[in-house]
Amino acid sequence: MDSCQAALGLALRRDTEAAFELLLTTIAGSETSDEALRYLADAVFLVSRWTGDFGRGESILRDLAARTRAPAIRGWITVRMAHLAGPADNSELGNAALGDFTIVGDDAGQAMSVLAMAFPQYDLLPSAAFRLQMVDAAREVGERLVDP
């Protein structure tokens, strides 16, 4: 989607407001296909990370997640929300994404979900023991993905 690329360009130039406005305009007038929602979710996530406006990105991602009934796409969006969320919501969102990926049997998505919970963006919580437990769980999923 050209508008997603344009929004990323605006974010790189630190024009946060214009980047989010372009994405919101695109979302308002866009098709709601799963592929379009995934592209939009990625663009919103990157704009949020690059500009530091995590709260606005999380809010937009919540709206996008509400537009789909497909567990794989909802999981994709929710795991990105978990990366942007603060400590109060990270575990809940990570678990929600893990559930969606488990429903569709998406091993890579399951690994991404547990790693989002093990290595949150906001601080050094959770404990090292919990992080190791999550890394072990992600490794087990990764081993299932190995092609014989």
Side-chain angles (χ1 to χ4, degrees):
M1 298 179 85
D2 293 338
S3 57
C4 290
Q5 290 178 342
L8 294 176
L10 290 167
L12 286 173
R13 290 190 293 277
R14 305 298 283 172
D15 194 349
T16 304
E17 197 60 37
F20 277 120
E21 285 304 316
L22 179 56
L23 289 170
L24 287 170
T25 301
T26 302
I27 290 167
S30 78
E31 59 181 281
T32 56
S33 72
D34 289 342
E35 184 176 341
L37 290 174
R38 187 170 173 165
Y39 282 125
L40 288 165
D42 284 343
V44 169
F45 174 73
L46 290 172
V47 167
S48 299
R49 292 294 304 267
W50 293 348
T51 64
D53 195 346
F54 298 156
R56 190 165 183 191
E58 185 183 352
S59 174
I60 295 169
L61 288 174
R62 283 186 189 280
D63 291 341
L64 286 177
R67 290 178 153 214
T68 184
R69 292 210 180 274
I73 299 302
R74 191 173 49 243
W76 185 262
I77 295 169
T78 305
V79 80
R80 275 142 185 76
M81 283 191 292
H83 280 292
L84 297 177
D89 295 328
N90 180 272
S91 181
E92 177 184 337
L93 291 168
N95 280 320
L98 181 59
D100 283 332
F101 288 130
T102 301
I103 289 170
V104 295
D106 184 341
D107 292 333
Q110 291 174 40
M112 193 168 46
S113 299
V114 295
L115 288 175
M117 291 185 286
F119 297 98
Q121 304 298 317
Y122 46 83
D123 63 7
L124 296 177
L125 296 176
S127 70
F130 179 75
R131 287 177 188 239
L132 287 173
Q133 181 183 4
M134 291 293 102
V135 169
D136 285 341
R139 183 182 45 76
E140 288 174 16
V141 171
E143 288 171 354
R144 288 195 312 248
L145 291 173
V146 174
D147 211 359

